[in-house]
């Protein structure tokens, strides 16, 4: 596929340069983060042996040899994935539909996933939770049975109801993850070639004619305003994340101290091993720490006379989430417990299910909310479960079992 022109209307957006830069950056990261600690450790230990500071470095060299052998796995992965990053690839948009294309190169197979306009329900920009805003473009499909998994690494076919990086939709979708500039160019091409009414953006929750007037903005961060019941959902679904983060940060800091101590004592072989492990746990800790704003920001379920608002306020690198569902779109509210601990032996998982008249198309929801077709499942802990049920019953008792 030839290189694309930046002008909208060409029908092509080439992403080969972007993928090649990603592959080259992976090589640089591999060299600096993985090979450098091993190389420094081996060199320091051998230099100490030459100066006579140690009698026999063979034991430490065996350790470094084992680490080097383990590094062959990511090194081989980099080599094998080279052709698929360097092949001609991109998005082709025309009067028939949208195509995701990659040409064959060496051992990397090529292929095209084509979606005709008649199967496109919605094309929208989205934000995966915790990532930079505007990094994904989602093509929501009316049917997913005729679409195969794209061969390109920058696009993923997500089945209906399947969670993808914190977002869930009631229809199958193709999620395109690229730089903001490339996504903007793809949007412009779609805007030029898309037939009238095909894949147009629509409100997150369609409202009836009786509730078509503009909905006021939700309350600012802080306590809910007058006439609004708010249930705080801070730290919900955070136990696993918190334990993993504490353990990884603890090991990263502890191993960093051991690295310094080993180097000061002249144990260069041990210092190299400790440095390698420190870098590993630091890399694991980074994405975990980036999720901190998601769990600590002001967030909750707000209920008022107009509807439901699911809120996660922006904080730090987290762009925030705000989803509004009017009561006119709600059929009923359940108060189920998702897992029966008496039969499964597991800790009970509480939930409050909000059944809507139509599935929520392309709605970005907080991490403590799941979407299963027309059922929106809010998942609080046991204490918040009772508070949430009481809040729903206070505002709209007619929607709950028993009225």
């Amino acid at each position: 596929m030839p290189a694309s022109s930046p002008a909208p209307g060409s029908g092509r957006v080439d992403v080969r340069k972007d993928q090649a830069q990603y592959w080259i950056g992976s090589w640089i990261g591999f060299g600096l983060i993985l090979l450098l600690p091993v190389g420094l450790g081996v060199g320091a230990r051998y230099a100490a042996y030459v100066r006579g500071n140690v009698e026999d470095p063979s034991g430490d060299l065996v350790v470094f040899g084992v680490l080097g052998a383990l590094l062959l796995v990511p090194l081989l992965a980099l080599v094998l994935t080279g052709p698929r990053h360097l092949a001609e690839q991109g998005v082709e948009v025309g009067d028939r539909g949208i195509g995701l294309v990659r040409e064959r190169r060496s051992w990397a197979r090529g292929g095209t996933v084509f979606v005709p306009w008649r199967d496109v329900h919605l094309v929208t920009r989205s934000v995966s939770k915790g990532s930079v805003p505007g990094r994904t473009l989602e093509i929501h499909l009316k049917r997913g049975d005729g679409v195969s998994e794209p061969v390109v690494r920058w696009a993923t076919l997500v089945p209906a109801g399947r969670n993808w990086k914190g977002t869930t939709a009631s229809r199958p979708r193709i999620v395109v993850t690229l730089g903001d500039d490339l996504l903007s160019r793809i949007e412009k091409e779609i805007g030029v070639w898309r037939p009238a009414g095909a894949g147009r953006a629509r409100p997150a929750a369609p409202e009836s004619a009786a509730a078509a007037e503009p909905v006021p903005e939700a309350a600012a961060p802080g306590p809910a305003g007058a006439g609004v019941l708010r249930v705080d959902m801070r730290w919900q679904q955070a136990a696993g994340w918190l334990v993993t983060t504490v353990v990884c940060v603890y090991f990263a800091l502890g191993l960093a101290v051991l690295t310094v101590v080993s180097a000061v004592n002249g144990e260069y072989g041990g210092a190299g091993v400790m440095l390698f492990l420190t870098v590993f746990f630091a890399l694991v800790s980074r994405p975990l720490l980036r999720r901190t704003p998601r769990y600590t920001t002001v967030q909750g379920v707000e209920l008022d006379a107009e509807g439901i608002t699911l809120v996660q306020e922006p904080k730090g690198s987290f762009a925030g989430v705000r989803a509004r569902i009017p009561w006119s779109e709600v059929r009923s509210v359940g108060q189920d417990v998702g897992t029966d601990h008496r039969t499964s032996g597991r800790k009970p998982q509480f939930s409050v299910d909000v059944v809507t008249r139509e599935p929520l198309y392309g709605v970005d929801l907080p991490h403590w909310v799941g979407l299963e077709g027309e059922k929106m499942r809010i998942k609080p802990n046991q204490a918040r479960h009772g508070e949430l049920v009481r809040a729903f019953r206070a505002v709209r008792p007619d929607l709950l079992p028993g009225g």
Side-chain angles (χ1 to χ4, degrees):
M1 186 180 65
S4 66
S5 168
S10 65
R12 296 186 300 269
V13 178
D14 181 46
V15 303
R16 177 180 179 273
K17 180 179 179 181
D18 176 85
Q19 296 304 297
Q21 291 176 345
Y22 174 87
W23 186 67
I24 294 172
S26 299
W27 271 104
I28 296 174
F30 177 80
L32 294 179
I33 297 173
L34 297 179
L35 293 180
L36 185 61
V38 175
L40 290 176
V42 172
R45 194 62 175 169
Y46 181 74
Y49 170 70
V50 172
R51 291 195 302 266
N53 295 339
V54 295
E55 296 182 359
D56 185 9
S58 59
D60 292 323
L61 293 180
V62 169
V63 174
F64 285 115
V66 173
L67 292 176
L70 294 176
L71 293 181
L72 289 177
V73 176
L75 178 63
L76 182 62
L78 278 175
V79 173
L80 293 178
T81 57
R84 76 177 189 180
H85 288 89
L86 302 178
E88 296 288 345
Q89 54 193 296
V91 179
E92 294 185 347
V93 185
D95 54 1
R96 295 176 55 244
I98 306 170
L100 309 178
V101 183
R102 188 179 74 193
E103 304 294 339
R104 180 179 179 85
R105 179 160 183 164
S106 299
W107 53 81
R109 65 186 179 92
T112 300
V113 171
F114 180 76
V115 182
W117 289 119
R118 65 176 180 273
D119 291 338
V120 177
H121 172 72
L122 174 70
V123 179
T124 181
R125 288 287 283 271
S126 182
V127 181
S128 58
K129 294 178 173 59
S131 66
V132 179
R135 296 289 293 181
T136 62
L137 182 74
E138 297 190 359
I139 305 172
H140 294 252
L141 310 175
K142 295 179 181 178
R143 298 177 300 118
D145 50 355
V147 179
S148 58
E149 181 71 34
V151 297
V152 293
R153 61 166 297 276
W154 38 269
T156 304
L157 177 62
V158 184
R162 180 76 57 83
N163 183 282
W164 183 87
K165 295 186 178 180
T167 64
T168 308
S170 58
R171 290 181 181 266
R173 53 188 169 146
I174 296 177
V175 181
V176 179
T177 306
L178 290 168
D180 189 64
D181 178 63
L182 287 173
L183 293 181
S184 297
R185 289 170 56 189
I186 295 173
E187 276 191 310
K188 290 178 182 178
E189 293 295 336
I190 292 176
V192 170
W193 291 95
R194 176 172 47 193
R200 298 290 178 180
R202 62 180 295 177
E207 299 191 12
S208 63
E213 60 271 6
V215 178
E217 290 293 327
V228 178
L229 291 182
R230 180 165 189 164
V231 179
D232 183 27
M233 297 291 286
R234 199 178 312 194
W235 295 105
Q236 299 300 302
Q237 306 292 314
W241 163 82
L242 183 61
V243 172
T244 306
T245 302
V246 170
V247 170
C248 289
V249 172
Y250 173 81
F251 274 105
L253 295 177
L255 290 167
V257 173
L258 291 177
T259 300
V260 175
V261 172
S262 298
V264 171
N265 293 335
E267 300 173 357
Y268 300 108
V273 175
M274 292 299 117
L275 178 59
F276 176 82
L277 294 175
T278 300
V279 172
F280 172 78
F281 279 102
L283 289 175
V284 175
S285 300
R286 183 176 181 273
L288 292 171
L289 290 173
R290 283 179 58 86
R291 295 183 67 85
T292 302
R294 177 185 307 281
Y295 295 102
T296 59
T297 188
V298 176
Q299 57 192 295
V301 179
E302 295 182 354
L303 307 175
D304 56 28
E306 302 298 327
I308 309 167
T309 306
L310 309 173
V311 182
Q312 282 185 300
E313 298 293 348
K315 185 176 183 180
S317 60
F318 178 53
V321 175
R322 186 180 297 271
R324 178 73 172 177
I325 302 98
W327 291 121
S328 59
E329 293 301 322
V330 178
R331 290 182 181 274
S332 62
V333 177
Q335 42 187 321
D336 301 330
V337 176
T339 301
D340 187 353
H341 64 283
R342 293 171 297 180
T343 58
S344 67
R346 295 168 53 191
K347 183 179 179 181
Q349 298 177 359
F350 295 87
S351 67
V352 175
D353 297 336
V354 179
V355 180
T356 56
R357 299 185 183 279
E358 295 184 21
L360 302 180
Y361 300 107
V363 180
D364 194 13
L365 299 171
H367 67 272
W368 32 266
V369 178
L371 195 60
E372 302 174 6
E374 298 177 352
K375 181 184 294 184
M376 183 182 69
R377 174 161 288 180
I378 306 173
K379 295 174 283 189
N381 58 24
Q382 183 173 3
R384 290 287 185 268
H385 179 263
E387 184 178 350
L388 190 59
V389 171
R390 289 192 295 271
F392 271 102
R393 193 173 293 280
V395 178
R396 287 298 302 269
D398 55 303
L399 295 175
L400 276 79

